[in-house]
Amino acid sequence: MRQPALELVIAALEKIRDTSNHAPRASRNALAQLLSIYSVAASLPGTPELCEGRRATCVSPKRPQPQQTASHKAEMLASVRERVCGCTKCAHLASSRTQTVFGVGNPDAEIMFIGEAPGADEDQQGEPFVGRAGQLLTKIIKAMGFAREDVYIANILKCRPDMPAGSFGNRAPTPAEMQTCRPYLVEQIDIIQPRVLVALGAVAVEGLLGARGTMRELRGRWHSYNGMPLMITYHPAYLLRNQSPSEKRKVWEDMMQVLERLEKPISEKQRNYFL
Ligand code: SF4
């Protein structure tokens, strides 16, 4: 069930965005408060349309508990996913896609990985990073000591970039396509509020920050997105093309910086990967 207060605000923000040059944004806290309005309404007498089960998941507006917060994050993400599913802002992508590819993982994740766009495998399966590059990302996540389900994975673009008829492979999203789709990712980040963001590849960086640069310049050091620590590293597809241990080591060193930032233990064995 959708939250009326949240829906009203989203509709108002979308109208501003569609009728002006402004790109309004709502913080996670603001969205959480709107959800809380719904929670308060659910607890008031005279609201027979709200079932007991739904009330049980409501959060106190004064002091949300961690588990309930995670539950609300999942609800908020579901609301964004619903809008993405029906999105036709890029008519050429909406008509060519098999389905939208929203994102996957823990709504309360500490780490959020951001790629550029779905490829053919992702378009077919409706999940980001499931092809060869995705399998390598999953290995990296496991090497860090996490399960894929512990983190959150999303792309800048939620639809596969279209390809000319009869051609194979994938293409990178255009700046215009990324600009159009970016608000959905911004909402995902605002809801999840990960402790660390990891951007995979220069295209993802351009989509997220609007800044171009070479990976040589960008990777391996901390950047910031809206006050959140942002690590930039190579896209796993790059490692599939360049299989030398030295390139793998660079990515692994970036991931060790992420682990240190999260104050996770790093074993001696982990420290020596790809040396
Ligand atoms: S790429 Fe994003 S903005 Fe464009 S149609 Fe797909 S979901 Fe909508």
Side-chain angles (χ1 to χ4, degrees), residues 8 26 37 47 70 92-93 102 120 160 181 195-196 206 241 255 273:
L8 277 173
I37 291 170
T47 52
H92 60 299
L93 301 185
F102 181 66
R160 183 189 181 209
C181 202
R195 289 175 62 196
V196 171
E206 185 181 347
R241 294 192 302 270
M255 295 305 98
Y273 283 164

Side-chain angles (χ1 to χ4, degrees), residues 83-95 97 100-101 118 156-161 176-184:
R83 282 184 283 122
V84 166
C85 273
C87 181
T88 56
K89 283 193 275 183
C90 316
H92 60 299
L93 301 185
S95 63
R97 72 190 178 207
T100 54
V101 180
I156 306 280
L157 219 65
K158 309 306 185 201
C159 297
R160 183 189 181 209
E177 289 167 345
M178 290 195 288
Q179 188 65 22
T180 306
C181 202
R182 183 177 181 276
Y184 294 129

Side-chain angles (χ1 to χ4, degrees), residues 1-195:
M1 182 183 286
R2 285 188 164 212
Q3 296 74 26
L6 185 59
E7 287 298 301
L8 277 173
V9 171
I10 289 169
L13 292 176
E14 285 185 338
K15 190 171 179 189
I16 293 169
R17 184 193 59 208
D18 292 343
T19 57
S20 74
N21 289 329
H22 299 294
R25 298 180 53 235
S27 72
R28 186 183 72 85
N29 285 344
L31 294 174
Q33 282 178 12
L34 289 166
L35 281 167
S36 296
I37 291 170
Y38 182 83
S39 303
V40 172
S43 67
L44 293 173
T47 52
E49 73 278 14
L50 303 175
C51 70
E52 288 301 320
R54 178 63 186 77
R55 286 184 197 185
T57 63
C58 291
V59 169
S60 158
K62 288 181 181 166
R63 189 166 183 166
Q65 298 301 307
Q67 197 177 355
Q68 293 168 323
T69 301
S71 157
H72 272 174
K73 287 180 179 183
E75 284 183 38
M76 287 191 282
L77 285 173
S79 173
V80 182
R81 180 193 288 267
E82 201 175 309
R83 282 184 283 122
V84 166
C85 273
C87 181
T88 56
K89 283 193 275 183
C90 316
H92 60 299
L93 301 185
S95 63
S96 63
R97 72 190 178 207
T98 303
Q99 58 194 313
T100 54
V101 180
F102 181 66
V104 69
N106 180 359
D108 205 24
E110 291 182 294
I111 311 176
M112 182 167 174
F113 290 90
I114 299 170
E116 54 188 64
D121 294 319
E122 290 75 18
D123 175 68
Q124 285 297 317
Q125 297 186 41
E127 185 172 326
F129 283 94
V130 291
R132 281 181 67 223
Q135 287 161 20
L136 181 52
L137 177 63
T138 303
K139 279 187 186 172
I140 293 169
I141 291 166
K142 284 183 179 167
M144 295 171 75
F146 294 96
R148 189 173 154 102
E149 299 73 35
D150 294 332
V151 305
Y152 198 88
I153 306 171
N155 284 309
I156 306 280
L157 219 65
K158 309 306 185 201
C159 297
R160 183 189 181 209
D162 56 346
M163 297 291 290
S167 60
F168 297 97
N170 300 311
R171 71 163 171 87
T174 66
E177 289 167 345
M178 290 195 288
Q179 188 65 22
T180 306
C181 202
R182 183 177 181 276
Y184 294 129
L185 178 74
V186 169
E187 284 190 76
Q188 287 173 298
I189 296 171
D190 281 349
I191 291 167
I192 295 166
Q193 288 283 306
R195 289 175 62 196

Side-chain angles (χ1 to χ4, degrees), residues 228-260:
M228 267 177 224
L230 166 68
M231 177 56 65
I232 296 171
T233 195
Y234 288 113
H235 193 285
Y238 170 82
L239 293 182
L240 292 175
R241 294 192 302 270
N242 301 273
Q243 303 234 3
S244 73
S246 64
E247 297 308 284
K248 291 178 183 170
R249 177 70 191 181
K250 285 178 190 166
V251 171
W252 183 241
E253 284 177 356
D254 299 342
M255 295 305 98
M256 282 200 289
Q257 286 200 60
V258 170
L259 290 174
E260 281 166 3

